[in-house]
Amino acid sequence: MATVYELFTSRKYVNNEGKPRAERQFVVVDAADESVVVGLFGSTLPGEYEHYPNDSGLPYDMLAFDYSITKDPSAVSTWQVTMRYRAEIGATSGFNNPTSPLLEPNEVGYRTARLSMTAEFRDLWRVYASVVALQAKAMGNYSVTDIGGSSVDAAGIPLSTLVYKQEITILITDSFLPNAQAVATQIGTRNDKVFLNYPSGSVVFAGCNCETIPEVGRNSIEYKFVYDQSYHQIQYPVRGNNGSPILAASASGSILKGSAEQVYFKQPFNNTSSFDNLSQYFGGL
């Protein structure tokens, strides 16, 4: 009958880049082959998802997820077993990883997100008292109606100003590749409803990269989005026959004399679409 001994000195707990792992090693004697050792899991050897000893005192619950069996070359029926544990992120309210709990990068449903905050210089003829005021204007249709705001141009020459943007990248492991033709029709469209907590119309789908991972039979898909504080609207002044902006002959409110008299918004991404069909794994990000 096979007997199991744990090597207590072999216990190991490591936390590498926020991914806690632990190990335990065992010796099994009087086991004829691997099948006998495998039969011990869940009885005298730890079973799948069994807790690491005394993990209540650790920051996370540690659950068994992987093992290896090695024949001892110096003995007839002795085997070495290594059981590996990983953190159950989100097991307590103090630690929460809502993106991919208990998933490895090559497992279906694994996802990770990256956010890049940037800014670009853009020509502006008008500015607003706050970002909220800007967004209220940018959400509307001002293609033939003056956008208001305060003049910042000098005799029709715009002021080059930084505009705040965000680039969002979501990497997902899936068992299927997306429908390339369907995805292509959505590139360059804006979100028709709230997406990742960004307001409707403020995010543009910039496309995706797909890569097949034949070793594990999975696909890695990277989706790219761009958020713009002005909802991607571009200012342009009404111009005269000579191509120069028509200037105000007199001051009117916050529109100064000698500045662009009328300024409209141009939306380069007129179409909107729902991003929900791109992936089922966007929820919860």
Side-chain angles (χ1 to χ4, degrees), residues 45-66:
L45 285 172
E48 187 178 12
Y49 298 129
E50 186 171 319
H51 282 260
Y52 186 74
N54 301 316
D55 66 349
S56 60
L58 298 174
Y60 305 92
D61 290 341
M62 304 293 292
L63 303 184
F65 77 102
D66 183 33

Side-chain angles (χ1 to χ4, degrees), residues 128 132-147 190 199-202 229-234 236 263-270:
Y128 299 90
V132 175
L134 164 64
Q135 292 177 335
K137 288 289 185 180
M139 288 179 66
N141 182 9
Y142 288 87
S143 59
V144 292
T145 305
D146 190 88
I147 64 175
R190 292 178 293 129
S200 302
S202 63
Q229 76 177 70
S230 60
Y231 290 62
H232 307 275
Q233 300 267 35
I234 298 174
Y236 71 98
V263 179
Y264 299 158
F265 269 140
K266 182 68 175 180
Q267 175 55 259
F269 308 106
N270 284 319

Side-chain angles (χ1 to χ4, degrees), residues 179-280:
N179 185 325
Q181 292 182 339
V183 169
T185 61
Q186 290 185 259
I187 295 176
T189 63
R190 292 178 293 129
N191 55 318
D192 63 357
K193 56 180 177 291
V194 174
F195 177 69
L196 303 180
N197 291 326
Y198 292 99
S200 302
S202 63
V203 177
V204 165
F205 175 42
C208 68
N209 297 320
C210 304
E211 180 182 2
T212 298
I213 310 174
E215 293 83 359
V216 294
R218 299 290 184 265
N219 302 289
S220 179
I221 308 165
E222 184 181 56
Y223 298 89
K224 297 180 180 180
F225 304 89
V226 178
Y227 163 80
D228 187 297
Q229 76 177 70
S230 60
Y231 290 62
H232 307 275
Q233 300 267 35
I234 298 174
Q235 295 184 14
Y236 71 98
V238 176
R239 300 178 183 274
N241 293 332
N242 61 357
S244 298
I246 298 176
L247 306 180
S250 60
S252 177
S254 57
I255 309 305
L256 303 178
K257 178 181 179 181
S259 295
E261 184 175 36
Q262 288 186 306
V263 179
Y264 299 158
F265 269 140
K266 182 68 175 180
Q267 175 55 259
F269 308 106
N270 284 319
N271 297 324
T272 61
S273 67
S274 173
F275 297 160
D276 293 342
N277 66 302
L278 293 174
S279 175
Q280 61 180 313

Side-chain angles (χ1 to χ4, degrees), residues 3-255:
T3 306
V4 177
Y5 302 94
E6 180 181 0
L7 303 177
F8 288 101
T9 57
S10 70
R11 289 193 185 182
K12 180 172 64 175
Y13 177 88
V14 297
N15 191 325
N16 184 18
E17 296 183 353
K19 297 180 179 179
R21 295 288 189 269
E23 285 187 3
R24 297 168 70 192
Q25 290 186 354
F26 303 84
V27 173
V28 180
V29 297
D30 295 330
D33 53 37
E34 293 92 338
S35 63
V36 176
V37 179
V38 171
L40 298 176
F41 284 97
S43 57
T44 53
L45 285 172
E48 187 178 12
Y49 298 129
E50 186 171 319
H51 282 260
Y52 186 74
N54 301 316
D55 66 349
S56 60
L58 298 174
Y60 305 92
D61 290 341
M62 304 293 292
L63 303 184
F65 77 102
D66 183 33
Y67 63 82
S68 62
I69 302 172
T70 306
K71 179 72 168 61
D72 189 336
S74 62
V76 176
S77 56
T78 301
W79 305 79
Q80 294 181 359
V81 177
T82 300
M83 175 60 68
R84 301 176 183 87
Y85 299 78
R86 64 184 174 192
E88 183 183 7
I89 306 295
T92 63
S93 60
F95 301 92
N96 184 30
N97 176 15
T99 57
S100 302
L102 293 178
L103 289 178
E104 292 295 318
N106 63 345
E107 294 181 291
V108 171
Y110 175 87
R111 58 191 181 175
T112 182
R114 183 170 64 250
L115 175 65
S116 174
M117 299 185 182
T118 62
E120 67 178 19
F121 283 98
R122 193 174 298 171
D123 289 343
L124 299 181
W125 285 262
R126 304 281 176 81
V127 295
Y128 299 90
S130 66
V131 173
V132 175
L134 164 64
Q135 292 177 335
K137 288 289 185 180
M139 288 179 66
N141 182 9
Y142 288 87
S143 59
V144 292
T145 305
D146 190 88
I147 64 175
S150 301
S151 299
V152 291
D153 63 305
I157 300 174
L159 178 66
S160 185
T161 305
L162 279 174
V163 175
Y164 169 63
K165 299 177 63 178
Q166 291 183 0
E167 296 179 0
I168 308 109
T169 301
I170 303 173
L171 182 66
I172 292 176
T173 302
D174 205 337
S175 55
F176 301 99
L177 286 172
N179 185 325
Q181 292 182 339
V183 169
T185 61
Q186 290 185 259
I187 295 176
T189 63
R190 292 178 293 129
N191 55 318
D192 63 357
K193 56 180 177 291
V194 174
F195 177 69
L196 303 180
N197 291 326
Y198 292 99
S200 302
S202 63
V203 177
V204 165
F205 175 42
C208 68
N209 297 320
C210 304
E211 180 182 2
T212 298
I213 310 174
E215 293 83 359
V216 294
R218 299 290 184 265
N219 302 289
S220 179
I221 308 165
E222 184 181 56
Y223 298 89
K224 297 180 180 180
F225 304 89
V226 178
Y227 163 80
D228 187 297
Q229 76 177 70
S230 60
Y231 290 62
H232 307 275
Q233 300 267 35
I234 298 174
Q235 295 184 14
Y236 71 98
V238 176
R239 300 178 183 274
N241 293 332
N242 61 357
S244 298
I246 298 176
L247 306 180
S250 60
S252 177
S254 57
I255 309 305

